[in-house]
């Protein structure tokens, strides 16, 4: 009997392997991709081999972080570590759990095609199958708008050639047409083609401009969100497919103007203060709209009183909170260069936005398109110990419309001045210094002279002047331009700082992929924000840069320890002392690099875009309340390696 069982097992194993070989050979000769083969083989089981549950060996291996001293950064790192571990523990590990968590979070069934998306994501090693909150936040208000109106807008917004909108039109699982195209839409199409066989017919309107578009007044948005809540339901049975032949899609063959077009309501606000527009999307009691708000109270919601360190990165870029403080300190806020906005909720896809915008975020084309200016290059990425104790930044004078009168209001220009030894000569800034009588504890020190420190530890400057009216000649007596440093060569330095340009910075993912420590200051939101944990994967910086020397002196150290001082010790900064936290810098850099390899891959961009277009397709569907996946997820138990004893709700 045992011999017979062994022979039967060997036979079934051989048969399974033969089937795999057959499918692979057929696929090769028919032109099917390797990834498609993996997708199709996912359910084939080898007899006698137990399939491990998803994420079975994917748990944090390091121990929870303990602060090395009482410095606020040490404590912020510990808090970030706790938040990240909670995030890791909360992931779904099967299709059953994913579906259950979806309904619990959003009060709806997943959209049609969700099972195909799940298998697509799983086959590409998605790290967290649940973390698509940005998509759901972006799509949510559109449930309050009639699908036909949304389709009309998406089909026709490209027609105004000066409006800065491209169109991508999908029919019969192919991109049938591109309208008012540019490099951004061309790049986006190469991404969509990766999974287009799963998509229904749709029109996509994409922002061609650098800066975001949609600013719905706060009172109008609250009405939309209340209507969305009223539409939430999970009927016992739904149709797991999208509707076909709906009216309002672009007539691909027609040459006319479309007739009966919805008006998106575009208006220009270029060269003007953006907070005039942005504040309308803020709550009435917010600092952006209330006249009696105390700056210190506002700062207390996102900054530490010690060193001005960022304690809440999301809040630090919330224009309803920080807008009044930085409206004269950021190029887009002070004098935006290409602002064409609307107060109407229109379905336009954009690469970035500020918190008050309602554009639909998608992964920026520069992250998908291979470009040596922005792609990570390991050639010069030295080990941490071999890097220079320097913070580097190179860029052009982009960010807003610049004149000889307003250039000091631009954020990039302020950064260059803030860390320039010559500009900072004779000036004082705040850092944290260790208390002489309490080793390991810190206090504010506001008399720090940063000039010599900046000369020794920063390499920041412009390589080109650009974006000025009528020209940039006025910069000739202001800046000494620095030589360009290719992105990869910047990783010879321990610290790389990333700030906004006209909009988001396309080098951010490459910085995270490197072995250098990334510091980030931004007002923009991107697709991946919920995946990154400030103080674990990167170091956040205030958009005013008033904490830059607190950060640099923490990681690089400054001054002479009190116990080592002698009567002959000479130090321009008197008693200022902060121990060097080199291990902490290396730790954050390493954690960010490891994390980027898990959640910011090109595969992750595909997975995000696929899910986004399924959710988008549903809100455009006339039958959106009656379509979706209503099953319990059990049909993928074998695929997930779920045992009969592991089918309960673990969340």
């Amino acid at each position: 009997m045992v011999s017979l069982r062994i022979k039967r097992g060997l036979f079934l194993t051989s048969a399974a392997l033969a089937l795999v070989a057959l499918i692979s050979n057929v696929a090769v000769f028919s032109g099917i991709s390797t990834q498609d083969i993996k997708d199709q083989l996912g359910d084939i089981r080898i007899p006698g081999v137990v399939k491990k549950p998803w994420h079975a060996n994917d748990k944090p291996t390091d121990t929870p972080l303990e602060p090395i001293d009482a410095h606020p950064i040490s404590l912020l790192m510990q808090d970030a570590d706790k938040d990240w571990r909670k995030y890791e523990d909360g992931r779904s590990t099967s299709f059953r759990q994913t579906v259950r968590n979806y309904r619990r979070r959003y009060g709806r069934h997943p959209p049609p095609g969700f099972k195909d998306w799940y298998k697509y994501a799983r086959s590409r090693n998605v790290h967290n199958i649940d973390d698509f909150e940005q998509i759901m936040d972006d799509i949510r208000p559109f449930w309050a708008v009639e699908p036909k109106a949304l389709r009309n807008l998406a089909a026709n917004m490209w027609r105004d050639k000066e409006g800065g909108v491209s169109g991508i039109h999908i029919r019969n699982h192919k991109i049938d047409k591109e309208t008012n195209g540019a490099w951004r839409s061309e790049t986006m199409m190469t991404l969509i083609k990766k999974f287009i066989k799963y998509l229904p017919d749709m029109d996509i309107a994409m922002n061609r401009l650098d800066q975001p578009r949609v600013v719905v007044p706060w009172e109008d948005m609250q009405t939309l969100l209340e209507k969305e809540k009223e539409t939430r339901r999970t009927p016992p049975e739904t149709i797991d497919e999208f509707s076909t032949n709906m009216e309002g899609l672009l007539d691909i063959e027609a040459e006319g103007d479309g007739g009966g077009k919805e008006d998106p309501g575009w208006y220009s606000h270029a060269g003007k203060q953006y907070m005039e527009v942005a504040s309308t999307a803020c709550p009435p009691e917010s600092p952006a709209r209330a006249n009696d708000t105390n700056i210190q109270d506002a700062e207390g919601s996102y900054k530490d009183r010690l060193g001005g360190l960022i304690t809440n990165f999301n809040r630090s870029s919330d224009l309803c909170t920080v807008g009044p403080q930085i409206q004269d300190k950021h190029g887009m806020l002070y004098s935006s260069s290409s602002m064409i906005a609307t107060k109407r909720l229109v379905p336009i896809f954009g690469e970035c936005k500020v918190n008050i915008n309602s554009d639909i975020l998608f992964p920026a084309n520069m992250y998908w398109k291979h470009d040596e200016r922005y792609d990570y290059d390991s050639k010069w990425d030295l080990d941490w110990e071999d890097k220079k104790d320097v913070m580097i930044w190179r860029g052009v004078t982009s960010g807003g419309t610049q004149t000889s009168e307003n250039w000091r209001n631009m954020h990039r220009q302020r950064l260059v001045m803030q860390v320039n030894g010559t500009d900072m000569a004779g000036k004082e800034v705040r850092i944290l210094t260790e208390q002489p009588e309490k080793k390991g504890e810190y206090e504010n020190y506001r008399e720090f002279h940063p000039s010599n420190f900046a000369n020794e530890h920063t390499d920041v400057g412009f390589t080109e002047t650009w974006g000025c009216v009528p020209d940039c000649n006025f910069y000739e007596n202001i800046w000494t331009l620095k030589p360009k440093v290719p992105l990869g060569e910047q990783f010879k330095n321990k610290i790389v700082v990333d700030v906004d340009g006209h909009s988001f910075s396309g080098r951010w993912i490459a910085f995270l992929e490197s072995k250098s420590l990334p510091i980030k200051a931004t007002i923009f939101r991107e697709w991946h924000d919920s995946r990154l944990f400030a103080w674990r994967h990167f170091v956040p910086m205030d958009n005013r840069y008033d904490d830059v020397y607190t950060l640099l002196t923490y990681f690089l150290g400054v001054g002479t320890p009190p116990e080592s001082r002698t009567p002959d010790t000479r130090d321009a900064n008197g008693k200022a002392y902060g121990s060097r936290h080199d291990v902490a810098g290396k730790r954050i850099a390493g954690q960010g690099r490891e994390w980027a390899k898990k959640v910011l891959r090109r595969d992750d961009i595909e997975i995000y875009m696929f899910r986004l277009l399924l959710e988008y397709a549903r809100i455009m569907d006339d039958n959106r309340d009656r379509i979706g996946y209503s099953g319990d997820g059990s049909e993928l138990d074998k695929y997930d390696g779920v045992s009969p004893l592991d089918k309960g709700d673990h969340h």
Side-chain angles (χ1 to χ4, degrees), residues 502-551:
H502 260 32
S503 59
F504 75 101
S505 168
R507 40 189 148 179
W508 181 227
I509 288 184
F511 281 4
L512 288 163
E513 290 175 324
S514 78
K515 299 175 187 175
S516 296
L517 176 66
I519 294 179
K520 180 75 166 178
T522 184
I523 65 170
F524 293 105
R525 305 291 171 90
E526 297 186 66
W527 68 279
H528 51 239
D529 287 353
S530 66
R531 305 176 180 206
L532 298 175
F533 289 75
W535 296 114
R536 180 177 172 89
H537 302 130
F538 67 97
V539 174
M541 183 168 67
D542 192 289
N543 281 291
R544 292 168 294 182
Y545 317 135
D546 60 351
D547 52 348
V548 63
Y549 287 106
T550 302
L551 297 174

Side-chain angles (χ1 to χ4, degrees), residues 290-301:
N291 296 323
D292 58 348
T293 303
N294 183 283
I295 292 179
Q296 284 71 32
D297 290 343
E299 285 189 349
S301 67

Side-chain angles (χ1 to χ4, degrees), residues 68 104 176:
I68 59 174
R104 176 179 56 81
D176 210 319

Side-chain angles (χ1 to χ4, degrees), residues 133 251 357 381 550:
E133 293 295 329
D251 186 343
N357 291 130
D381 194 5
T550 302

